[in-house]
Amino acid sequence: MEGNCMSKRVFLKIAYDGTNYCGWQIQINGITVEEIINRELTNLLGEKIAVIGASRTDSGVHALANAAVFDTETKIPAQKISFALNQRLPEDIRIRESYEVAADFHPRYCNSTKTYEYKIYNYKFPMPTERLYSHFVYMPLDIEKMKKASEYIIGEHDFRSFCSARTQVENTVRTVYSLDINKKDEMIYIRISGNGFLYNMVRIIVGTLMKVGLGVYPPEHIKEIIEAENRDAAGPKAPACGLTLIGIEYEDEKRV
């Protein structure tokens, strides 16, 4: 379709509550965010649409600004598609912005910085209004120890120890630019930015940091986990509900 001078590539900034979805990517065992967007775009534009997403978030994971592109021959201005599409989407999915980008822009293969945030509700009893968007931990977590442990994660490393075995990638080296841990009242916020993340990497990092916060691992043990390059060396995978894709910043977005 890119060879057709009438076609254009449209960029979507997408927010969603992942509670009721089996993740982003289309699959046979349940409804996904990608499936819903493809269906409603196809109905809206009258042509078969298949978006290309930037981040394949897991079942139950949320997003404030995931990204996707698609090619279309519609005469509807790119910036108006978000308004029209939001009229059709369920209330737990919204297009925050739409605009035209260069025909060769690919949201997964362009250099970018991805930022995720994980929320832990750390108190003796759970908070009902936070149950869908944070992970409840009743035992006190020592965030100062967690902060010390996080220093070992920042930088370029082989993160094979923090990757689920199901990954299909050969190169497990990634760069973490920042990892900040803060607490406000009963909520702990873990925000991590990097050039890309392996399958379940953020959730395994969080699960490992929680082990440090509980006193199971000393902070410096993180270095040994990284060097082991073995999934069995790291902590458990934290539940999906606490994770949100905050945003993706592209070095060269090529907005038209």
Side-chain angles (χ1 to χ4, degrees):
M1 186 179 288
E2 291 177 19
N4 188 328
C5 63
M6 297 294 291
S7 70
K8 57 191 172 191
R9 177 157 288 193
V10 178
F11 181 97
L12 302 176
K13 183 185 289 186
I14 309 162
Y16 47 87
D17 179 334
T19 304
N20 295 323
Y21 299 98
C22 295
W24 165 267
Q25 190 175 17
I26 290 175
Q27 52 185 281
I28 60 174
N29 65 341
I31 195 165
T32 66
V33 178
E34 182 181 33
E35 176 185 348
I36 295 290
I37 292 174
N38 283 349
R39 183 187 72 198
E40 298 307 330
L41 273 173
T42 296
N43 291 338
L44 172 66
L45 303 178
E47 52 184 309
K48 184 67 174 177
I49 300 295
V51 300
I52 302 170
S55 184
R56 298 169 178 173
T57 54
D58 295 337
S59 177
V61 173
H62 316 292
L64 298 184
N66 203 344
V69 299
F70 66 94
D71 296 323
T72 177
E73 296 181 4
T74 184
K75 293 182 180 179
I76 300 174
Q79 67 272 20
K80 298 293 185 182
I81 289 176
S82 56
F83 293 91
L85 187 54
N86 281 333
Q87 297 296 316
R88 296 169 173 267
L89 290 171
E91 61 184 2
D92 52 5
I93 302 175
R94 281 295 176 267
I95 308 303
R96 296 181 60 191
E97 193 176 8
S98 62
Y99 49 85
E100 188 174 351
V101 290
D104 62 349
F105 177 81
H106 195 294
R108 283 204 299 274
Y109 302 140
C110 293
N111 292 332
S112 66
T113 298
K114 292 183 179 180
T115 300
Y116 285 88
E117 183 177 79
Y118 197 93
K119 294 167 62 178
I120 302 169
Y121 190 76
N122 193 206
Y123 190 62
K124 57 186 177 182
F125 302 118
M127 178 62 73
T129 56
E130 297 289 352
R131 74 191 190 285
L132 301 180
Y133 310 105
S134 64
H135 172 48
F136 167 63
V137 177
Y138 70 89
M139 296 180 67
L141 292 169
D142 187 330
I143 67 166
E144 293 307 316
K145 287 183 178 179
M146 293 168 69
K147 287 180 180 180
K148 289 180 181 178
S150 71
E151 295 174 3
Y152 294 97
I153 294 171
I154 297 170
E156 182 180 86
H157 305 287
D158 188 328
F159 283 100
R160 190 177 302 274
S161 293
F162 297 92
C163 177
S164 286
R166 284 174 53 192
T167 186
Q168 298 176 348
V169 299
E170 294 182 6
N171 181 10
T172 50
V173 175
R174 297 291 185 273
T175 302
V176 172
Y177 301 131
S178 63
L179 204 175
D180 299 310
I181 304 174
N182 297 289
K183 185 174 184 180
K184 182 178 180 182
D185 299 324
E186 292 83 28
M187 192 69 77
I188 296 172
Y189 301 86
I190 301 175
R191 185 168 288 210
I192 182 169
S193 294
N195 66 350
F197 296 95
L198 301 167
Y199 184 54
N200 291 153
M201 176 174 159
V202 176
R203 292 166 61 190
I204 296 170
I205 286 174
V206 171
T208 305
L209 289 175
M210 285 195 291
K211 286 286 190 181
V212 173
L214 292 169
V216 178
Y217 303 149
E220 56 271 18
H221 184 57
I222 298 295
K223 185 174 185 292
E224 298 173 25
I225 293 173
I226 293 172
E227 291 173 348
E229 296 183 13
N230 185 333
R231 171 66 187 96
D232 293 336
K237 178 175 64 177
C241 61
L243 186 61
T244 299
L245 172 60
I246 298 297
I248 305 171
E249 296 182 8
Y250 290 98
E251 290 183 13
D252 185 7
E253 199 171 83
K254 297 183 179 180
R255 190 187 290 228
V256 175

